[in-house]
């Protein structure tokens, strides 16, 4: 049992590192843009370059996890992540920082499916897996909370470089602990690796994310914007044709066509798109509109992310056990939309922490439940030898949805002459689209809830695992 908890602790810590980096960068963007010469529209590439590297290689990382071993990919991803973080902190200019962020994304593309596969394979479906995913989601929320606060502190007192340097010892420590805490990989699966599918999936996904990110900067009719977007879509359609004719495909199409995974992928794209857009809207309101410092902005994010932590750790396992995946996901996603709407109401010219508090708490509680439930849904009913590619499909959709949401909301907020009007428009759209995602979740097949006693035991065990 102790080794089980240590293993879960390592996997949760890895998720904390990834989440920490996500939010810590957002808070540091104004300083990075000013010191490295980014334009107001191009500074989003500090975020988008990571999304391109991550989104482009997640399918490859998922299949590599299934074929080469989850522990190997876990360690390789951490090594790349740590090296790229060091390079990012040392970057002398915008181009080097963007390149380092892309390599960081490649590390994340190996690390994310490996981490999820280790959870899916190491913890039985049902209450045990719900406990593990709850701890994983709680760690992610803790990373967001720490990222907001730590990003403000580091940027204020040490400089923006330290938002990257902080990842280096964390990634190194996890990589060194992995051989001792994680089970050895099984013998490598036989058969050929689908090189053609891997190339098409990587190029198509990367071009799609690149086009989405570029459109708000260069325009949708340019080669970088619309051209890359169109090319990515064509390559992904070609991928489906190739995979249908390949004996050992990168993506088993029967898996992608399954009602459960297909519905989950749609909802997760919507959820992540509005999450990324919502964070951009809130950051733009706090700093350009209210004039908050990076530290003040980071502190304002704290109630939102603390609510996410509580929801993931305490509420989600019990709700999944009592109501099942479909009901829990539908209600929590609609509730997330309601939380975003409340947050929009609080973004007034004379507002601040207290006007944002109701929306932050509601968004955090429902969003924390929805995020964990989405990944519980993604791994449900999938064979152990295909858990890597299932998590890769879900995570790829998540990243493409996030890039799409960021592109759309940047375009909406920069359109009107008054920034606050643009933020309000974007916020109301985000709230409505998120609620629609909750209705789509009703297409999932009903799942059989666990017994109430199992749910209570799950909550108790999870609390013990977190100590």
């Amino acid at each position: 049992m102790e080794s089980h908890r240590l293993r879960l602790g390592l996997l949760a810590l890895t998720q904390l590192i990834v989440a920490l980096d996500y939010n810590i960068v957002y808070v540091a963007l104004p300083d990075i843009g000013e010191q490295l010469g980014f334009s107001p529209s191009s500074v989003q590439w500090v975020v988008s370059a990571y999304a391109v590297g991550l989104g482009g290689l997640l399918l490859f990382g998922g299949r590599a996890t299934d074929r080469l071993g989850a522990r190997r990919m876990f360690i390789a991803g951490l090594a790349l992540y740590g090296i790229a973080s060091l390079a990012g902190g040392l970057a002398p200019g915008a181009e080097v920082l963007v390149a380092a962020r892309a390599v960081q994304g490649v590390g994340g593309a190996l690390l994310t499916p490996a981490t999820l596969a280790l959870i899916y394979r190491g913890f039985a479906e049902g209450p045990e897996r719900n406990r593990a995913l709850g701890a994983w989601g709680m760690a992610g929320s803790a990373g967001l909370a720490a990222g907001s606060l730590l990003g403000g502190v580091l940027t204020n007192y040490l400089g923006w470089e330290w938002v990257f340097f902080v990842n280096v010892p964390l990634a190194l420590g996890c990589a060194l602990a992995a051989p001792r805490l994680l089970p050895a990989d099984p013998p490598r699966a036989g058969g050929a690796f689908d090189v053609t599918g891997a190339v098409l999936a990587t190029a198509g996904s990367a071009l799609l994310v690149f086009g989405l990110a570029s459109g708000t900067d260069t325009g949708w009719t340019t080669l970088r914007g619309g051209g890359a977007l169109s090319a990515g879509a064509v390559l992904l359609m070609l991928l489906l044709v190739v995979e249908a004719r390949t004996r050992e495909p990168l993506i088993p199409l029967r898996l992608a066509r399954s009602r459960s995974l297909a519905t989950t992928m749609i909802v997760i794209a919507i959820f992540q798109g509005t999450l990324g857009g919502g964070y951009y809207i809130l950051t733009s309101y706090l700093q350009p509109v209210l004039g908050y410092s990076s530290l003040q902005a980071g502190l304002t994010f704290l109630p939102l992310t603390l609510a996410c932590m509580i929801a993931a750790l305490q509420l989600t396992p019990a709700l999944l056990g009592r109501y099942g995946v479909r009901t829990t996901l539908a209600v929590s996603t609609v509730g997330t939309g309601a939380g975003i709407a409340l947050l929009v109401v609080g973004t007034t010219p004379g507002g601040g922490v207290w006007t944002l508090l109701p929306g932050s708490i509601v968004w955090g509680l429902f969003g924390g439940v929805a995020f964990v439930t989405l990944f519980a849904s993604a791994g449900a009913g999938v064979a152990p030898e295909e858990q890597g590619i299932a998590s890769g499909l879900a995570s790829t959709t998540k990243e493409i949805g996030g890039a799409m949401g960021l592109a759309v909301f940047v375009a909406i907020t920069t359109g009107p002459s008054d920034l606050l009007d643009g933020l309000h428009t974007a916020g109301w759209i985000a709230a409505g689209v998120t609620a629609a995602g909750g209705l789509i979740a009703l297409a999932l097949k009903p799942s059989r809830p666990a017994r109430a006693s199992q749910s209570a035991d799950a909550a108790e065990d999870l609390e013990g695992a977190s100590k």
Side-chain angles (χ1 to χ4, degrees), residues 174-194:
C174 288
L176 292 175
R180 295 185 178 183
L181 298 181
L182 300 179
D185 292 321
R188 298 185 185 186
F193 193 84
D194 181 12

Side-chain angles (χ1 to χ4, degrees), residues 334-434:
V334 171
T336 302
I340 295 174
L342 275 176
L343 203 68
V344 175
V345 172
T347 55
T348 61
V353 175
W354 297 111
T355 62
L356 297 173
L357 189 60
S360 296
I361 293 174
V362 174
W363 184 12
L365 288 174
F366 282 103
V369 173
F371 185 78
V372 174
T373 305
L374 278 165
F375 282 95
S377 178
V382 179
E385 65 274 10
E386 291 181 334
Q387 290 286 1
I389 190 60
S391 63
L393 283 166
S395 299
T396 298
T397 310
K398 167 178 168 285
E399 295 308 318
I400 291 174
M404 185 179 296
L406 182 61
V408 168
F409 291 119
V410 167
I412 293 172
T413 56
T414 55
S417 57
D418 183 81
L419 177 58
L420 190 56
D421 285 346
L423 294 176
H424 284 166
T425 301
W428 288 118
I429 292 172
V433 171
T434 305

Side-chain angles (χ1 to χ4, degrees), residues 232-256:
V234 169
L235 289 178
L236 290 178
M237 286 189 287
L238 181 59
L239 171 66
L240 297 178
V241 175
V242 170
E243 297 300 271
R245 300 180 179 182
T246 302
R247 180 176 298 179
E248 296 184 57
L250 177 77
I251 307 170
L253 293 186
R254 56 176 172 71
L255 190 64

